[in-house]
Amino acid sequence: MRIELENVEEAGGKFSRVYAPEQLRFEEAELRLSGPVEVSGRAGRKNGEVELRGELKTKVSAPCGRCLKPVELPIEVKFAERFVPAVSWRHEEQHELQEEDLNISVLDGEGIELDDLVKEEILLAVPGHVLCREDCQGLCPICGADRNLETCECESERIDSRWEKLGDLQF
Ligand SMILES: [Zn+2]
Ligand SMILES: [Zn+2]
């Protein structure tokens, strides 16, 4: 979805968009949207650059890191992005870029592609370690049973065999 700067300026710098879940696809197959993405913000022009500030709200579904059950996570983030024209991008000093607190992208004509920005912000907002609950017991590494739902025999067998070894020791 492209934001035309001309339209944004006519609207007093404001923009807002709603993406249906199927409009944004993530390469990370395990992550998917479980609700629409509401994006809103402001765009302003300064010295040929465009500054975009806004916030987005959605819900994503990601697998629990221990038991793989899908977990729904509410996402709410504020973002800021600076778009510089391709020419000044090449001339700008590297150290100046690093001092900036905003993310920087290259401005492509008179519009801004919002999709990639939105996807990136959502990915950044998803915690690296998703858990369905703090004390999730996870899956048994041996038989794959969900330890939250059932107790398998694997763990106790392992303990038993350890005891057997101890029994072999001669005192
Ligand atoms: Zn879990
Ligand atoms: Zn097991």
Side-chain angles (χ1 to χ4, degrees):
M1 214 180 270
R2 197 174 155 91
I3 307 181
E4 294 303 331
L5 292 170
E6 201 182 330
N7 300 342
V8 174
E9 275 157 9
E10 269 170 30
K14 284 188 191 163
F15 70 91
S16 66
R17 290 282 187 285
V18 178
Y19 288 89
E22 60 275 10
Q23 282 180 295
L24 290 178
R25 296 231 172 267
F26 291 92
E27 272 146 47
E28 293 72 8
E30 67 276 18
L31 185 74
R32 54 182 193 83
L33 294 170
S34 50
V37 186
E38 294 166 35
V39 193
S40 63
R42 284 180 162 276
R45 225 192 271 253
K46 209 173 71 187
N47 308 326
E49 296 182 2
V50 175
E51 195 182 291
L52 199 74
R53 286 179 182 277
E55 48 191 41
L56 68 86
K57 236 170 104 173
T58 188
K59 269 187 253 163
V60 300
S61 170
C64 168
R66 290 184 195 153
C67 74
L68 306 179
K69 197 175 83 175
V71 184
E72 193 154 286
L73 302 160
I75 300 282
E76 213 173 329
V77 277
K78 287 195 190 328
F79 58 86
E81 186 97 4
R82 211 175 111 209
F83 292 84
V84 298
V87 182
S88 66
W89 167 259
R90 268 181 250 122
H91 288 291
E92 199 153 355
E93 297 276 336
Q94 209 53 39
H95 62 88
E96 265 182 68
L97 292 178
Q98 282 163 2
E99 282 165 21
E100 266 295 340
D101 61 332
L102 302 177
N103 295 314
I104 299 172
S105 300
V106 176
L107 189 59
D108 161 33
E110 283 299 286
I112 286 168
E113 284 298 341
L114 201 57
D115 303 21
D116 290 342
L117 177 73
V118 167
K119 281 203 281 191
E120 194 185 302
E121 292 300 332
I122 293 173
L123 282 176
L124 286 173
V126 175
H129 222 76
V130 177
L131 287 180
C132 62
R133 55 177 218 230
E134 265 320 303
D135 63 345
C136 171
Q137 301 299 302
L139 302 178
C140 168
I142 299 161
C143 73
D146 186 342
R147 286 177 178 155
N148 298 311
L149 305 173
E150 52 187 312
T151 344
C152 61
E153 302 302 316
C154 307
E155 191 61 26
S156 54
E157 272 170 30
R158 223 169 65 202
I159 292 167
D160 287 349
S161 64
R162 245 182 279 153
W163 280 113
E164 272 164 35
K165 277 219 182 84
L166 267 185
D168 289 342
L169 292 173
Q170 303 288 324
F171 291 104

